[in-house]
Amino acid sequence: MELSVGSRFKNAWNAFRNREPTKVFQDIGYGYSYRPDRFRLTRGNERSIVTSVYNRIALDVAAIDIQHVQLDAEGQFCDVVQSGLNNCLSTEANLDQTGRAFIQDAVMSMMDEGCIAIVPVDTDDDPDDTTGYQILSMRVGRIRDWYPKHVRVELYNEEKGRKQDIVVPKSTVAIVENPLYAVINEPNSTMQRLIRKLNLLDAVDEQSSSGKLDLIIQLPYVIKTEARRKQAEKRRKDIEQQLAGSKYGIAYTDGTERITQLNRSLENNLMKQIEYLTSMLYSQLGITQSILDGTADDKTMLNYYNRTIEPIIAAIVDEMKRKFLSKTARSQNKSIKFFRDPFKLVPVADLAEISDKFTRNEIATSNEIRQVIGWKPSNDPKADELRNSNLSQPNESPVREERDTGGINQNEV
């Protein structure tokens, strides 16, 4: 029922006008010019091209759905469990992050740190007292110190608006180590060697483009005495003042003086080493340049998902299953699973043939295929049935033919 004009004016609300004057002066916490809970790369990773590789992997991992599910006796997926954990993984992980942003944050932190902690922040019961508790919100934290049964984690406190260190038991937090640690995070790994070479290349570029001329002035006399040194220093300062005071940087010298310029390009093999390390890193990670620029074919993407994305998402899911699900829940066939949509990389030309095969072989219904395409489901009851529409279906209530008995009851004969 539509509201009347009077009801609309009575219930109307404006974000700028309908505010109590006293709320303007209330203490709402710390204020920042940037987002304080956002993850920031360390150890020089933010200044190199490896950030783009980290971001690509994190985006692809976050695109995979993670759900709290109910399994049957054979371990097959039955239904999604509507719990606080499932809400954190699919909808809202905390006050600042969605479920997808949370997974991206976890993967980026894991690539940078090598090992992270996923900490349940809000629960309906004390995790130290019971294992049967509901997780209401969770965050990603850096592990600062390791203890036998505890870890010290740097975690963002949304109540105070800043990061702080807390000590939590290992049994209540998901500690996820990067499965590609030997390639990315080891001190002498391929990734760290590439980062060092890129930092050296940046230093050489800054030095060559610093604005210095690097000139050597050969004077027409021998500089051995103190008087000659002072005369040469005076001549050098004179040329500096001419170059600095000139509009176009022009200076004059004597005909007997000789000037040699040294700021030519340096002959080194840094670029060759960087190209070699980059190709080696891509091969060890299962990544190609075509994956980064979006021109990879189906086989390349399948290899990338199986060798790079699957180990990372499996490490996160397995640790969550081990720490966030109690033994009772696992005995009741509850689990955490990840699902990748296989139709995302399928072209429209191939989607029609795949849809026909799925429906004809009674693997998927018509409404399930329409959901993949993005169309709303059909109201036809046949659209929810696993049936091959290309075959004529047998009559469910066949009419039996009665033989003409001439009106004589056969039981009487």
Side-chain angles (χ1 to χ4, degrees):
M1 184 177 68
E2 295 184 0
L3 296 176
S4 62
V5 178
S7 299
R8 290 180 181 178
F9 278 108
K10 183 179 179 180
N11 299 322
W13 186 86
N14 184 273
F16 295 98
R17 296 181 180 180
N18 297 78
R19 299 282 184 181
E20 295 182 9
T22 56
K23 288 187 178 181
V24 179
F25 303 100
Q26 67 180 353
D27 184 14
I28 57 176
Y30 293 97
Y32 301 89
S33 59
Y34 60 91
R35 184 170 175 173
D37 68 302
R38 189 179 184 277
F39 168 75
R40 282 168 178 79
L41 296 172
T42 58
R43 294 184 291 275
N45 290 337
E46 74 280 1
R47 292 181 296 150
S48 60
I49 62 173
V50 299
T51 308
S52 61
V53 178
Y54 291 167
N55 190 62
R56 180 73 268 163
I57 294 176
L59 286 174
D60 292 336
V61 173
I64 300 177
D65 296 331
I66 305 177
Q67 292 178 335
H68 185 197
V69 299
Q70 176 69 49
L71 306 179
D72 59 10
E74 281 107 24
Q76 297 179 353
F77 170 74
C78 288
D79 196 7
V80 176
V81 179
Q82 300 300 329
S83 61
L85 177 60
N86 188 74
N87 182 68
C88 290
L89 296 175
S90 59
T91 305
E92 183 183 15
N94 49 66
L95 183 64
D96 303 296
Q97 292 177 320
T98 63
R100 188 164 182 169
F102 170 78
I103 298 298
Q104 183 179 352
D105 182 15
V107 177
M108 287 288 289
S109 303
M110 184 170 57
M111 291 289 175
D112 184 57
E113 294 288 329
C115 192
I116 59 168
I118 300 177
V119 183
V121 178
D122 296 319
T123 58
D124 64 349
D125 205 342
D126 190 357
D128 296 333
D129 297 337
T130 179
T131 58
Y133 58 89
Q134 285 284 338
I135 298 176
L136 305 179
S137 70
M138 59 177 65
R139 285 188 181 272
V140 179
R142 283 191 175 99
I143 301 177
R144 295 299 187 187
D145 298 309
W146 295 82
Y147 303 103
K149 295 184 179 180
H150 297 77
V151 286
R152 185 182 298 276
V153 181
E154 183 193 33
L155 200 66
Y156 178 75
N157 188 349
E158 63 186 36
E159 299 295 334
K160 297 182 179 180
R162 59 184 177 87
K163 293 183 179 180
Q164 66 182 60
D165 292 349
I166 59 173
V167 178
V168 291
K170 291 182 179 179
S171 59
T172 61
V173 298
I175 301 175
V176 187
E177 183 178 354
N178 186 7
L180 303 173
Y181 189 94
V183 180
I184 294 179
N185 303 109
E186 282 286 354
N188 293 323
S189 62
T190 306
M191 178 69 80
Q192 299 303 318
R193 292 177 60 193
L194 177 59
I195 292 174
R196 288 196 291 269
K197 293 295 181 181
L198 290 170
N199 292 335
L200 286 176
L201 183 62
D202 292 340
V204 171
D205 290 341
E206 290 179 2
Q207 185 178 4
S208 62
S209 61
S210 60
K212 295 181 180 180
L213 295 178
D214 296 332
L215 301 178
I216 294 179
I217 304 173
Q218 183 177 357
L219 299 175
Y221 46 81
V222 180
I223 304 174
K224 289 186 177 180
T225 62
E226 188 67 24
R228 288 296 187 182
R229 286 195 186 93
K230 291 182 179 179
Q231 186 178 359
E233 186 68 20
K234 182 180 178 181
R235 180 61 184 147
R236 183 183 66 82
K237 291 183 179 179
D238 181 38
I239 294 179
E240 286 182 359
Q241 290 176 359
Q242 291 183 56
L243 292 173
S246 174
K247 182 178 179 180
Y248 298 103
I250 301 175
Y252 64 87
T253 61
D254 189 78
T256 58
E257 296 175 347
R258 226 174 129 187
I259 296 179
T260 304
Q261 186 175 2
L262 298 178
N263 64 339
R264 59 185 179 272
S265 60
L266 298 176
E267 297 294 334
N268 56 47
N269 57 352
L270 270 179
M271 281 306 301
K272 292 182 180 179
Q273 295 180 17
I274 289 174
E275 291 175 357
Y276 169 73
L277 289 174
T278 302
S279 62
M280 182 183 294
L281 176 68
Y282 283 176
S283 63
Q284 292 175 354
L285 292 180
I287 297 177
T288 62
Q289 186 63 37
S290 59
I291 292 176
L292 297 178
D293 58 29
T295 60
D297 56 5
D298 297 341
K299 294 183 179 179
T300 305
M301 290 300 298
L302 183 62
N303 179 70
Y304 165 65
Y305 272 106
N306 291 335
R307 295 189 58 193
T308 307
I309 301 302
E310 196 275 338
I312 295 175
I313 191 68
I316 297 174
V317 169
D318 291 343
E319 183 65 9
M320 284 185 178
K321 187 192 308 180
R322 186 168 74 101
K323 297 293 181 63
F324 296 159
L325 296 182
S326 63
K327 292 182 179 179
T328 304
R330 292 197 296 267
S331 64
Q332 295 173 355
N333 293 330
K334 289 184 172 59
S335 181
I336 300 176
K337 294 284 187 180
F338 61 91
F339 304 93
R340 184 175 70 90
D341 188 1
F343 295 98
K344 283 187 176 180
L345 302 176
V346 177
V348 179
D350 299 334
L351 188 60
E353 183 179 357
I354 294 175
S355 301
D356 177 63
K357 290 182 178 179
F358 272 55
T359 54
R360 180 157 35 90
N361 294 284
E362 299 182 2
I363 299 174
T365 64
S366 300
N367 276 341
E368 290 173 341
I369 298 297
R370 292 172 68 93
Q371 185 177 359
V372 171
I373 300 174
W375 295 351
K376 63 180 181 180
S378 174
N379 295 326
D380 190 352
K382 296 181 180 179
D384 292 320
E385 297 177 359
L386 287 174
R387 60 187 302 176
N388 187 356
S389 301
N390 298 326
L391 298 178
S392 59
Q393 301 296 326
N395 196 352
E396 296 180 356
S397 57
V399 179
R400 294 187 301 176
E401 296 182 357
E402 297 182 356
R403 291 184 300 173
D404 187 9
T405 60
I408 303 174
N409 191 348
Q410 294 182 352
N411 294 329
E412 298 177 354
V413 179

